Amino acid sequence: MNMKKNIIFMFSFLFLIGCTANPPKNQTDRVPDMEELAAFSNSHSKQEYEEELLRIKNIIDATAYGEVCGIYEESLNKWVTAQEELKIDQTDISFSRDALLMDEQSGKRLYNNFFVEVNIYLEKEEELLMGDEMDGLFYQVQDALNKTPYVRFTMNTLTVFCHGNYSGIHDLTDFRTASYAVSGFKFQPTLDEEESEMQTQVYEYLQEFNREVFEDARYGGSNVTLKRFGIEKESQRLYMEIPIYSAPFDMDEESFKKELDIRSDELYQLVAKKDRFVNYLKEKDVITVTIALYVPWDKDAEDSYRVYDYNL
């Protein structure tokens, strides 16, 4: 029986331990493991610790995406080789990255934007892992990956799939997934000043929209948020994804949809009315501004989205 458990971890990275991800070329380029970083924090001032974190961030920023993925894979392979509890036939690991992903609560772009899937294929004679045993497997993989800042500061979501072996054919038997938030000192992606300013203005507009329409406690807090924001180079567009999790309780739904048309136009004008923003976007070859409203309550919306495209 397939099972899925969503486990949300919010813990400080200071208490994770492990080993160095890659051999350093020199001391300046060296990234410590999480155990060493915790020891550094305990033996140095807050300012020195934050300077060390920024040094690490600069190194990670300068590391190619493929090389970071390779560090993830190396960490997984080390665990496979060292562990003795399971008879593992093979493993694979895959990655995706969402550079537009936002922290919906703070309105800041997320640095930890890697989505990681690990597949573990057991040998034929190995017993199937389910329930608590699957939990244990997930935690082992999680801990193995999180031993290096390259992973700890970049991973957003980890999913581990375990595959049994029936007569030489691997079938999925169970899996676990978890999302992570880094507490304490948070890395921020490096954005151009213009893009950062646009992002802030859009977020502040949505905050005000939320206060005006959804301040009632029945909505459970932020009903309107900014989930994704930024330039998609491939599609040459500035993209905003804005969840509106429920319609107003005291407004006709059709009337609210018309208001959303007006709100979308206003969001576009936040960008279009400033020559500085327009010139910046044109320098980045942006030709379209796309505002995608996620409206799961709207039965008429295609795939639960109302999408507005504006030619810049």
Side-chain angles (χ1 to χ4, degrees), residues 19 121 241:
C19 57
Y121 302 89
E241 183 174 336

Side-chain angles (χ1 to χ4, degrees), residues 80-172:
V80 172
T81 301
Q83 69 86 32
E84 298 178 346
E85 296 180 18
L86 297 174
K87 296 179 180 179
I88 297 175
D89 184 16
Q90 64 187 66
T91 63
D92 64 57
I93 185 170
S94 59
F95 312 87
S96 62
R97 186 181 188 184
D98 188 351
L100 275 60
L101 195 63
M102 300 285 297
D103 180 343
E104 296 181 52
Q105 301 303 314
S106 69
K108 303 294 185 182
R109 196 81 60 90
L110 283 176
Y111 192 85
N112 60 318
N113 54 23
F114 275 65
F115 293 76
V116 185
E117 291 188 358
V118 173
N119 285 280
I120 297 175
Y121 302 89
L122 303 179
E123 292 186 2
K124 184 176 178 181
E125 63 269 24
E126 183 66 282
E127 293 186 7
L128 302 182
L129 296 185
M130 299 183 71
D132 292 342
E133 290 181 331
M134 184 61 207
D135 289 340
L137 174 61
F138 178 87
Y139 295 136
Q140 287 186 57
V141 174
Q142 167 194 276
D143 292 346
L145 294 177
N146 272 320
K147 289 178 178 179
T148 168
Y150 281 101
V151 174
R152 184 66 192 94
F153 296 146
T154 63
M155 185 164 64
N156 182 284
T157 302
L158 170 65
T159 304
V160 177
F161 298 91
C162 184
H163 303 259
N165 191 327
Y166 303 94
S167 302
I169 300 175
H170 285 113
D171 289 321
L172 176 65

Side-chain angles (χ1 to χ4, degrees), residues 274-288:
K274 288 196 174 181
D275 291 341
R276 178 165 168 263
F277 291 163
V278 173
N279 293 335
Y280 168 77
L281 292 172
K282 288 183 176 180
E283 288 176 1
K284 298 295 182 179
D285 298 321
V286 172
I287 59 177
T288 305

Side-chain angles (χ1 to χ4, degrees), residues 202 206 224-227 240-244 267 291-294:
V202 168
L206 295 175
V224 181
T225 66
L226 183 58
K227 185 174 183 178
M240 312 177 198
E241 183 174 336
I242 301 167
I244 304 173
L267 281 167
I291 300 173
L293 306 182
Y294 174 64

Side-chain angles (χ1 to χ4, degrees), residues 259-276:
E259 179 174 345
L260 291 182
D261 295 341
I262 297 172
R263 294 282 184 174
S264 179
D265 291 343
E266 291 177 349
L267 281 167
Y268 170 68
Q269 288 301 323
L270 283 179
V271 175
K273 71 181 180 182
K274 288 196 174 181
D275 291 341
R276 178 165 168 263

